[in-house]
Amino acid sequence: MAKSQISIYVGCLACSVILNVLLLSNYVYVGGKGELSWSRRAAEEAEAVAAVSCSGHGRAYLDGLVVDGSPVCECNSCFEGPDCSQFAPDCVADADGGDPLFLEPFWIRNAASSAMLVAGWHRMSYTFTNQSLISRLLEDHIRKLHTTVGNAVTQGRFIVFGAGSTQLLNAAVHALSPDNSSAPARVVASFPFYPVYQLQTDFFRSVNFQFRGDASLWKNKSDCTLNFIEFVTSPNNPDGQLKKAVLQGPHVKTIHDHAYYWPHFTAIPAPADEDLMIFTLSKLTGHAGTRLGWALIKDEALYQRMSTYVKMNILGVSKDTQLRALKLLKVALEGSGKEIFEFGYTTMKERWERLSDALSVSKRFSIQEFAPQYCTFFKTVRGPSPAYAWLKCEREEDKECYTVLKEAGIIGREGNLHGAETSYVRLSLLKSKDDFDALLHQINKLVAQEDGTKSII
Amino acid sequence: MAKSQISIYVGCLACSVILNVLLLSNYVYVGGKGELSWSRRAAEEAEAVAAVSCSGHGRAYLDGLVVDGSPVCECNSCFEGPDCSQFAPDCVADADGGDPLFLEPFWIRNAASSAMLVAGWHRMSYTFTNQSLISRLLEDHIRKLHTTVGNAVTQGRFIVFGAGSTQLLNAAVHALSPDNSSAPARVVASFPFYPVYQLQTDFFRSVNFQFRGDASLWKNKSDCTLNFIEFVTSPNNPDGQLKKAVLQGPHVKTIHDHAYYWPHFTAIPAPADEDLMIFTLSKLTGHAGTRLGWALIKDEALYQRMSTYVKMNILGVSKDTQLRALKLLKVALEGSGKEIFEFGYTTMKERWERLSDALSVSKRFSIQEFAPQYCTFFKTVRGPSPAYAWLKCEREEDKECYTVLKEAGIIGREGNLHGAETSYVRLSLLKSKDDFDALLHQINKLVAQEDGTKSII
């Protein structure tokens, strides 16, 4: 009995020792390679905030309000309550603005690869070590992405970064304006156009430039000696069409705003190859809050002038912003960009189709049309997926279209702000799913009323 | 024997089981509360880069170059080699620029509390949920810090954020200039002054404002109807003196640039209480690369105009930048700011004393003098700790002082850039320890030569 007892003890001891060895080896492993020290607290903070449940209709943020020790949910439009679970039925659909939140789910899906941890001592200097204001690695990644997507030629181009393309628009106008001319350069854009061009040019009242309206009006007058700067937005904001410059001539300079020239929003027929092209992170990865844009510039003197603008204005783009953009572009480049652009295109195409379907039965409202086009990135003919619907109220009595929609619980952007008739309104399709769902809900109601009215008559 | 054998087995088993329980409980703990999921990879990446040894004379960064899978050390001035361990003996001391790297060791010391982890989906929108471009929490922390330090009155003030104070300087000039005046506002500063005021005002050539030099020259002419905008820099850049406005009158507007009004650089005799005060993160926490400045503004209309400038210019400060500033200010506020300001003051005071000692035996070079002053923050009379030395070459034949220093291996900033004589040079004292050591080394050599020359004569 004592012998068998001993065997049992020995057996138990052996098992226990083996378990100890296993646990210890794991402990040593965790304590070695995998154990975090100074970064752990920040990682835990971020995970705790991310774990706050906002019912899929809101989000808690690291820099959000904290009540009773808990981060507060910030709810999407049309949702409320402490966990954003309550739908507000009389809610107005806000389809104004260009917040590209349609990409948020992509980043949640890629949480591990897109997170970044910034040390307290990260890049405290004004400049990178080569005295540049620009991250060399980020510049490389931008060039690589353009080559991968095939939407812009970067060879033989200099790159300037700005705090969003917004800053670079004015930097370009400033740099393209002659310094000592008797007349200020005439800044124009073909209508309908992105209103910031005018607002900004008017606001930064310079002796060197002045906004002068619709490019088309100057078409037959541009062969004289007047200096023109034409904004060409392609795809266009608001209507999504691919555009070419209207004005030509020795005294015409052109700024190509390619904010939306990504497979999310348009077919890419060929790489853009213009002298001055402006892009923005906002409409590429969806990070509008991360203020980063870039200009691809052929002419070295122009590059120097635009660099000086950014330096004089803000002493370069924040290093934190450049680091974040680098992280995001690394993820965007995974699998040659297939994942992010498939996600973006599929989302935007589906929204466009649902809106088109809803409006297809309407005689009161119409939206712009697109011809299917071959996309060199997807290597196929593809349908439309624009960032905005350019809606027209067709009835004579509806010519204040913005008001018609507003009364129906939809906030768009007035056509006249874009230099068009008031019978047009821009509707944003690239915001969050909740925003789009609210818009579609109100559109469906509006179109249903139209049918009802018809049937009564 | 069997009995004693059994006792031994039982004893061993008991020990082993206790170890099992301990290890398992730890395993469960690590696997439960403490385990990280999506944030782990980012944290590991950051720690791996931080662990690269650069001999204390350089640093590897997350967005730095990577060679053969290893992040590359970026070396401080005067150090080279793959791990920055080689001193370059003929190295020039670069005392130009205002990179506030003297605070870097403070952030390394506070690694855990100052690290932040940014999720891929953090604040993608242009605005915070209240449609503001400004983080409410950051604004609160800024107000709290001013109250804690006692260097500015924030009650009854609006706050605007800019991409560094650089942007806010021009935003202020723009906002203070009358819109439809026949004559542009005259922008002035009392000399010696910070050259960016002139460079920026000249660069953004507006119909509304123009740089017109030294404020003192307009002193007796300012009671007429001309519009003046005076920059008052206190403590002054380059000479560190506390300053008051030179011009007074109904048509004079004043911009108080308080970039250096922190206990690192000066005694705080009383909270600043002016109508328009500008501060910057750069000279407070040392994060010059994180472009964030703020203006405290009494007048609501002026606040609106400056806000519009930032909106039109860059659509608000990057959310990443605002998050980082918030994290840093939280650390700065720990212990009522004692730790960061003690560190900053002690470092800068010691540098000033070492430079003063080195130059005390010189008849060829002099630096500015400061009277000891009571500091309401430290609650004691304290000595000087300026950001810059304002060095004068005293000899007639040395009146091109910048050249004299350059030939001695010191790069300063020419006095005439600051609106002073060429016999003055600004020497930066707030850069890294390596920068300061190199400067002191060259200064000592220069002063020793002077003695040598004397003894030969």
Side-chain angles (χ1 to χ4, degrees):
Chain A
M1 188 183 158
K3 208 165 185 181
S4 68
Q5 213 175 357
I6 289 171
S7 313
I8 290 167
Y9 283 131
V10 170
C12 286
L13 183 58
C15 288
S16 180
V17 167
I18 289 168
L19 182 59
N20 272 329
V21 169
L22 283 173
L23 286 170
L24 267 172
S25 66
N26 190 60
Y27 189 71
V28 169
Y29 170 77
V30 171
K33 189 184 156 205
E35 188 58 39
L36 297 170
S37 65
W38 57 271
S39 70
R40 170 169 279 275
R41 185 163 140 190
E44 282 174 353
E45 273 172 17
E47 291 210 4
V49 170
V52 172
S53 166
C54 305
S55 313
H57 300 294
R59 198 154 297 291
Y61 293 102
L62 262 186
D63 55 359
L65 295 182
V66 174
V67 172
D68 297 334
S70 285
V72 170
C73 282
E74 301 182 11
C75 302
N76 294 348
S77 311
C78 303
F79 288 87
E80 53 196 31
D83 62 351
C84 306
S85 62
Q86 294 159 33
F87 179 70
D90 297 329
C91 152
V92 168
D94 185 352
D96 191 11
D99 250 340
L101 292 172
F102 73 105
L103 284 163
E104 200 187 59
F106 175 81
W107 297 106
I108 292 169
R109 190 189 289 181
N110 289 279
S113 54
S114 63
M116 69 171 194
L117 192 136
V118 188
W121 60 85
H122 177 75
R123 296 270 181 221
M124 291 175 66
S125 174
Y126 284 106
T127 58
F128 292 88
T129 33
N130 54 3
Q131 297 301 309
S132 166
L133 294 173
I134 278 180
S135 157
R136 169 73 190 283
L137 220 61
L138 178 55
E139 184 182 334
D140 291 349
H141 278 73
I142 287 172
R143 288 182 191 273
K144 200 169 162 191
L145 188 66
H146 281 304
T147 305
T148 304
V149 174
N151 68 335
V153 173
T154 63
Q155 289 84 352
R157 257 75 172 188
F158 300 94
I159 292 192
V160 175
F161 294 171
S165 60
T166 305
Q167 186 187 30
L168 293 172
L169 300 175
N170 192 248
V173 167
H174 191 280
L176 289 171
S177 299
D179 256 341
N180 297 309
S181 165
S182 56
R186 293 158 187 237
V187 180
V188 297
S190 63
F191 286 12
F193 77 117
Y194 178 44
V196 166
Y197 304 145
Q198 174 166 14
L199 293 169
Q200 206 181 45
T201 307
D202 287 348
F203 187 82
F204 296 111
R205 290 187 67 198
S206 165
V207 291
N208 296 331
F209 52 78
Q210 214 169 25
F211 193 77
R212 298 300 290 271
D214 192 348
S216 317
L217 301 177
W218 300 94
K219 199 167 179 183
N220 300 321
K221 296 168 191 161
S222 65
D223 51 351
C224 63
T225 55
L226 296 173
N227 290 301
F228 280 91
I229 297 170
E230 182 185 352
F231 277 108
V232 178
T233 323
S234 183
N236 194 33
N237 176 355
D239 63 16
Q241 306 296 340
L242 294 175
K243 302 261 299 241
K244 297 274 176 211
V246 168
L247 304 184
Q248 309 284 341
H251 297 280
V252 175
K253 313 280 185 192
T254 314
I255 301 168
H256 282 87
D257 181 348
H258 285 310
Y260 298 89
Y261 198 50
W262 296 103
H264 307 314
F265 309 113
T266 177
I268 308 290
D273 192 17
E274 295 103 5
D275 288 359
L276 170 54
M277 304 180 270
I278 296 178
F279 289 87
T280 166
L281 192 73
S282 165
K283 302 302 185 287
L284 160 60
T285 68
H287 293 79
T290 298
R291 309 296 309 133
L292 189 111
W294 60 94
L296 303 176
I297 307 163
K298 211 179 232 169
D299 179 60
E300 185 166 3
L302 181 63
Y303 155 73
Q304 294 293 358
R305 284 170 71 99
M306 286 182 67
S307 298
T308 306
Y309 181 104
V310 175
K311 194 173 179 182
M312 284 289 167
N313 191 189
I314 63 166
L315 266 175
V317 172
S318 210
K319 305 298 169 286
D320 315 87
T321 300
Q322 296 194 43
L323 178 64
R324 183 137 195 240
L326 175 64
K327 189 73 184 172
L328 298 169
L329 290 201
K330 279 180 180 172
V331 179
L333 273 163
E334 279 171 16
S336 298
K338 282 289 178 291
E339 206 196 332
I340 189 168
F341 294 115
E342 294 261 359
F343 179 92
Y345 171 54
T346 308
T347 307
M348 294 307 294
K349 184 180 71 129
E350 191 201 310
R351 290 185 183 183
W352 179 254
E353 285 169 355
R354 289 175 68 197
L355 182 72
S356 300
D357 285 351
L359 290 169
S360 62
V361 294
S362 170
K363 287 186 173 164
R364 191 178 176 193
F365 306 106
S366 68
I367 48 175
Q368 79 267 43
E369 289 182 5
F370 296 91
Q373 193 156 17
Y374 185 79
C375 176
T376 52
F377 177 73
F378 287 126
K379 296 191 177 56
T380 179
V381 173
R382 42 158 282 178
S385 58
Y388 307 104
W390 186 230
L391 182 137
K392 189 179 182 190
C393 285
E394 295 285 351
R395 292 182 187 160
E396 181 59 27
E397 65 269 32
D398 286 349
K399 68 182 177 194
E400 294 301 322
C401 189
Y402 173 80
T403 313
V404 171
L405 293 182
K406 199 174 173 198
E407 283 166 3
I410 298 168
I411 297 177
R413 188 166 284 178
E414 299 98 310
N416 56 330
L417 288 180
H418 293 278
E421 308 275 307
T422 57
S423 56
Y424 284 92
V425 165
R426 190 190 80 167
L427 298 176
S428 186
L429 307 180
L430 79 179
K431 297 172 78 177
S432 73
K433 183 175 180 303
D434 286 337
D435 283 311
F436 179 74
D437 287 347
L439 171 66
L440 203 65
H441 176 75
Q442 302 291 29
I443 288 277
N444 277 324
K445 256 174 50 183
L446 196 58
V447 173
Q449 280 167 14
E450 183 186 339
D451 290 338
T453 313
K454 264 186 197 164
S455 69
I456 289 167
I457 296 163
Chain B
M1 188 182 155
K3 211 169 187 179
S4 69
Q5 213 175 358
I6 288 172
S7 311
I8 290 168
Y9 282 131
V10 169
C12 287
L13 184 57
C15 290
S16 182
V17 166
I18 289 169
L19 185 59
N20 281 159
V21 170
L22 283 174
L23 284 171
L24 267 172
S25 67
N26 191 61
Y27 189 73
V28 169
Y29 170 77
V30 171
K33 188 184 159 206
E35 187 58 39
L36 297 169
S37 65
W38 58 270
S39 71
R40 171 169 276 277
R41 185 163 141 191
E44 283 175 354
E45 273 172 16
E47 292 210 5
V49 170
V52 172
S53 166
C54 306
S55 312
H57 300 294
R59 200 154 297 290
Y61 293 102
L62 262 186
D63 54 0
L65 294 183
V66 174
V67 172
D68 298 334
S70 285
V72 171
C73 282
E74 301 182 12
C75 302
N76 294 349
S77 312
C78 303
F79 288 86
E80 52 196 32
D83 64 349
C84 306
S85 61
Q86 294 159 35
F87 180 70
D90 296 329
C91 153
V92 168
D94 185 352
D96 190 12
D99 250 341
L101 293 173
F102 74 105
L103 284 163
E104 200 186 60
F106 175 81
W107 297 106
I108 291 169
R109 191 190 286 180
N110 289 279
S113 55
S114 63
M116 71 172 193
L117 193 137
V118 187
W121 60 85
H122 177 76
R123 297 271 181 219
M124 292 176 65
S125 175
Y126 283 106
T127 58
F128 293 88
T129 34
N130 54 2
Q131 297 300 307
S132 166
L133 293 174
I134 279 180
S135 158
R136 168 73 191 282
L137 220 61
L138 178 56
E139 182 181 336
D140 290 350
H141 279 74
I142 287 173
R143 289 182 191 273
K144 200 170 164 191
L145 188 67
H146 281 303
T147 306
T148 304
V149 174
N151 67 336
V153 173
T154 63
Q155 288 84 353
R157 259 72 173 190
F158 300 94
I159 293 193
V160 175
F161 293 171
S165 60
T166 305
Q167 186 187 30
L168 294 172
L169 299 175
N170 191 248
V173 168
H174 192 277
L176 289 170
S177 299
D179 256 341
N180 296 309
S181 166
S182 56
R186 293 158 186 237
V187 180
V188 298
S190 64
F191 286 13
F193 77 117
Y194 178 43
V196 166
Y197 305 145
Q198 173 166 12
L199 292 170
Q200 207 182 44
T201 307
D202 287 347
F203 187 82
F204 295 112
R205 290 187 67 197
S206 165
V207 290
N208 296 331
F209 52 77
Q210 214 168 24
F211 193 76
R212 297 301 290 270
D214 191 349
S216 318
L217 300 178
W218 299 94
K219 201 168 178 184
N220 300 321
K221 298 170 190 159
S222 66
D223 51 352
C224 62
T225 56
L226 295 175
N227 290 301
F228 280 91
I229 297 169
E230 182 185 352
F231 277 108
V232 179
T233 323
S234 184
N236 195 31
N237 177 355
D239 63 14
Q241 307 296 341
L242 294 176
K243 303 260 299 242
K244 297 272 177 214
V246 169
L247 305 184
Q248 309 284 343
H251 296 281
V252 176
K253 314 280 185 192
T254 315
I255 301 168
H256 282 86
D257 181 347
H258 285 311
Y260 299 89
Y261 198 50
W262 296 102
H264 307 314
F265 309 113
T266 178
I268 308 291
D273 191 18
E274 296 102 4
D275 289 358
L276 170 54
M277 306 180 268
I278 295 178
F279 289 87
T280 165
L281 191 73
S282 167
K283 302 303 184 286
L284 160 59
T285 68
H287 293 78
T290 298
R291 310 296 309 130
L292 189 110
W294 61 94
L296 302 175
I297 307 162
K298 212 179 232 170
D299 180 59
E300 185 166 2
L302 181 63
Y303 156 72
Q304 294 293 358
R305 283 170 70 99
M306 286 183 66
S307 298
T308 305
Y309 181 104
V310 175
K311 194 173 178 181
M312 284 290 168
N313 192 189
I314 63 165
L315 266 175
V317 172
S318 210
K319 305 298 167 289
D320 315 87
T321 299
Q322 297 194 44
L323 178 65
R324 184 137 194 239
L326 175 65
K327 189 73 185 175
L328 299 168
L329 291 200
K330 280 180 180 171
V331 179
L333 274 162
E334 279 171 16
S336 300
K338 282 288 178 290
E339 206 196 328
I340 189 167
F341 294 115
E342 294 261 0
F343 179 91
Y345 171 54
T346 308
T347 306
M348 294 307 295
K349 184 179 71 126
E350 191 201 309
R351 290 185 184 184
W352 178 253
E353 284 169 357
R354 290 175 69 196
L355 182 72
S356 300
D357 286 352
L359 289 170
S360 63
V361 294
S362 170
K363 287 185 172 164
R364 192 178 176 193
F365 307 106
S366 68
I367 47 175
Q368 78 268 43
E369 288 182 5
F370 296 91
Q373 193 156 15
Y374 184 79
C375 176
T376 53
F377 178 73
F378 287 127
K379 295 190 178 53
T380 179
V381 173
R382 41 158 283 176
S385 57
Y388 307 104
W390 186 228
L391 183 135
K392 188 180 183 190
C393 285
E394 296 284 352
R395 292 184 187 161
E396 182 59 29
E397 66 270 32
D398 286 349
K399 68 181 178 195
E400 295 301 323
C401 189
Y402 173 79
T403 313
V404 171
L405 293 181
K406 200 175 171 195
E407 283 167 1
I410 298 168
I411 297 177
R413 188 168 286 179
E414 300 98 310
N416 56 330
L417 288 180
H418 293 277
E421 309 276 307
T422 57
S423 56
Y424 284 93
V425 165
R426 190 191 81 167
L427 297 176
S428 185
L429 307 179
L430 79 179
K431 297 171 76 176
S432 74
K433 184 176 179 302
D434 286 336
D435 284 311
F436 179 74
D437 287 346
L439 170 66
L440 203 66
H441 177 75
Q442 301 292 27
I443 289 277
N444 277 325
K445 256 173 50 182
L446 195 58
V447 173
Q449 280 167 14
E450 183 185 340
D451 290 339
T453 312
K454 267 185 197 164
S455 66
I456 289 166
I457 296 164

